Amino acid sequence: MIVYDKFWETMKRCGESTYTLINHYNISSGTIDRIRKGQGITTAKLDDFCQIFHCRVEDLITYVEPAEGEPHSPYSEKSPK
């Protein structure tokens, strides 16, 4: 699963806020809400954030293996052919 902890750290380090993202850079409040909830965002939005923060994707998101008992992606377990 993708986690956004680094997004918040990078935003703070760059001196930006959700207010400036929404009002200065025209990022939708829905996108910010999706990040807060740990939901997916598009690669186009990741590209936007990299340009705003002058950073790399690795400074925004991290992939973490789901813990035992957590739902997995349908792609994680391929059915035998």
Side-chain angles (χ1 to χ4, degrees), residues 2 8-9 14 29 34 42 59 71 79:
I2 301 294
W8 304 109
E9 295 166 10
C14 291
S29 59
R34 292 184 67 78
T42 66
D59 298 321
S79 58

Side-chain angles (χ1 to χ4, degrees), residues 1 4 8 12 17 24 26-27 29 35 37-38 40 43-44 49 51-53 55 57 61 65 67 70 73-74 78 81:
M1 70 194 252
Y4 296 96
W8 304 109
K12 184 176 180 178
S17 66
H24 183 71
N26 297 315
I27 301 294
S29 59
I35 293 170
K37 293 177 179 176
T43 54
F49 289 126
Q51 290 180 44
I52 292 167
F53 299 145
C55 69
V57 171
I61 60 174
E65 286 283 337
E70 286 187 5
S73 163
K78 301 275 185 185
K81 291 186 177 185

Side-chain angles (χ1 to χ4, degrees), residues 22 27-34 36:
I22 293 166
I27 301 294
S28 76
S29 59
T31 297
I32 302 300
D33 191 50
R34 292 184 67 78
R36 275 196 186 108

